[in-house]
Amino acid sequence: MFNIDNNKDKVRKVIFGIRIRFLGLLSLVMVIIISIFTAIMFMNQRNLLENEKYRKAETLTRILSGPAKFYLDKNIMTTKKELRIKYDTIKRESTNFKAYNSDIVNIILTDDQGRVRYSTKKLRLGKKYLTPYIEKCLKQEEEKLLLYDFSNEIKDKRTKEIIRKEYRAITYPIFLQKGNVVRLLKDFKQYYQKYHDSDITTRKRIYRILWKRYK
């Protein structure tokens, strides 16, 4: 003989215990799935933001490349007024872009030696600013955007703590199309061998051409 009611109580307790474990396992699985989806969404959002910044930087370089090329690619005939107009254009576009993009730290224009020709920060004009990303940009052989990630340690003025900040530099090289240097190189290729292979009369004629052009 046995007591049916007691056995029913035991069965109910076992079922209740299994149900709690199942719900706990299901909750854990759901938390893992949600965490994975959250991580994927975060990465997608981050990629979208980075792509947006990249496109904005690309737009800025397209806007600045024209006046910057003219400003850097000067020759004897380029007037101070023309240079000032292009410099003001560079300054206006850079300042406006920086004002509407708070994450932009600095916009800088250098010549082919890395000397500063314009900067939204207070960098001395004419001083070499050969950071690793500028050096890398100057070695490029084609006009395209280049990304360079780096970090800097900055001292907080209020707490005096050292903070490491991550940065991304986006660079774009400008190839000279005219100007004294480019013209001189073309003339060197054209006249050098001809000068040494010619008679004295032709040499004098070549010399007069180059003297009149470059003085």
Side-chain angles (χ1 to χ4, degrees):
M1 292 179 67
F2 56 87
N3 189 329
I4 296 176
D5 293 335
N6 288 339
N7 287 333
K8 285 181 179 180
D9 291 339
K10 290 178 181 178
V11 171
R12 287 194 190 97
K13 289 176 182 178
V14 171
I15 291 173
F16 184 71
I18 293 173
R19 191 173 294 167
I20 288 294
R21 291 189 185 93
F22 177 74
L23 288 174
L25 182 61
L26 182 62
S27 299
L28 180 62
V29 172
M30 290 299 293
V31 168
I32 293 173
I33 292 173
I34 291 171
S35 299
I36 292 172
F37 274 110
T38 303
I40 292 172
M41 289 176 65
F42 173 78
M43 293 301 294
N44 287 337
Q45 186 70 18
R46 184 178 178 182
N47 288 336
L48 287 172
L49 288 173
E50 287 186 354
N51 289 336
E52 181 65 21
K53 290 178 183 179
Y54 183 85
R55 283 194 295 271
K56 285 182 179 179
E58 187 176 23
T59 301
L60 179 66
T61 56
R62 303 302 178 199
I63 293 171
L64 294 182
S65 61
K69 184 177 292 185
F70 185 92
Y71 181 71
L72 296 173
D73 210 6
K74 58 189 175 183
N75 55 34
I76 295 173
M77 303 303 294
T78 306
T79 65
K80 290 183 179 180
K81 184 179 179 180
E82 289 173 328
L83 289 177
R84 189 67 203 180
I85 290 172
K86 295 304 175 183
Y87 181 86
D88 290 341
T89 302
I90 295 167
K91 183 179 180 180
R92 182 179 64 253
E93 296 295 342
S94 299
T95 303
N96 291 340
F97 185 85
K98 193 171 183 295
Y100 288 103
N101 295 274
S102 58
D103 56 334
I104 300 296
V105 177
N106 189 22
I107 299 170
I108 183 172
L109 173 68
T110 74
D111 60 16
D112 58 331
Q113 300 298 317
R115 290 185 292 261
V116 178
R117 294 306 177 193
Y118 172 77
S119 173
T120 52
K121 274 189 173 181
K122 292 182 180 179
L123 296 177
R124 186 160 60 86
L125 296 181
K127 182 181 179 181
K128 284 195 175 183
Y129 192 69
L130 289 175
T131 58
Y133 51 88
I134 289 179
E135 285 186 326
K136 199 170 183 180
C137 179
L138 292 175
K139 293 176 182 177
Q140 280 185 243
E141 296 182 355
E142 56 181 316
E143 289 183 306
K144 67 175 183 179
L145 291 182
L146 190 70
L147 305 180
Y148 186 90
D149 293 329
F150 64 99
S151 60
N152 273 343
E153 290 186 349
I154 300 174
K155 189 175 183 179
D156 190 282
K157 293 181 180 179
R158 186 174 59 84
T159 63
K160 307 299 181 182
E161 293 182 359
I162 302 298
I163 303 172
R164 179 176 290 274
K165 287 193 174 183
E166 302 294 328
Y167 297 95
R168 167 167 288 180
I170 301 177
T171 59
Y172 185 79
I174 297 172
F175 292 125
L176 302 182
Q177 304 297 328
K178 58 185 183 63
N180 290 339
V181 175
V182 175
R183 196 174 182 187
L184 184 61
L185 289 173
K186 288 181 180 178
D187 284 342
F188 180 83
K189 290 180 181 178
Q190 179 181 352
Y191 291 116
Y192 180 78
Q193 194 62 43
K194 185 178 179 181
Y195 179 87
H196 288 283
D197 293 343
S198 302
D199 55 29
I200 188 67
T201 304
T202 305
R203 287 187 181 187
K204 286 182 178 180
R205 183 175 61 82
I206 292 173
Y207 181 83
R208 283 195 298 270
I209 291 172
L210 297 179
W211 173 256
K212 184 178 180 181
R213 187 169 294 169
Y214 300 107
K215 297 202 180 347

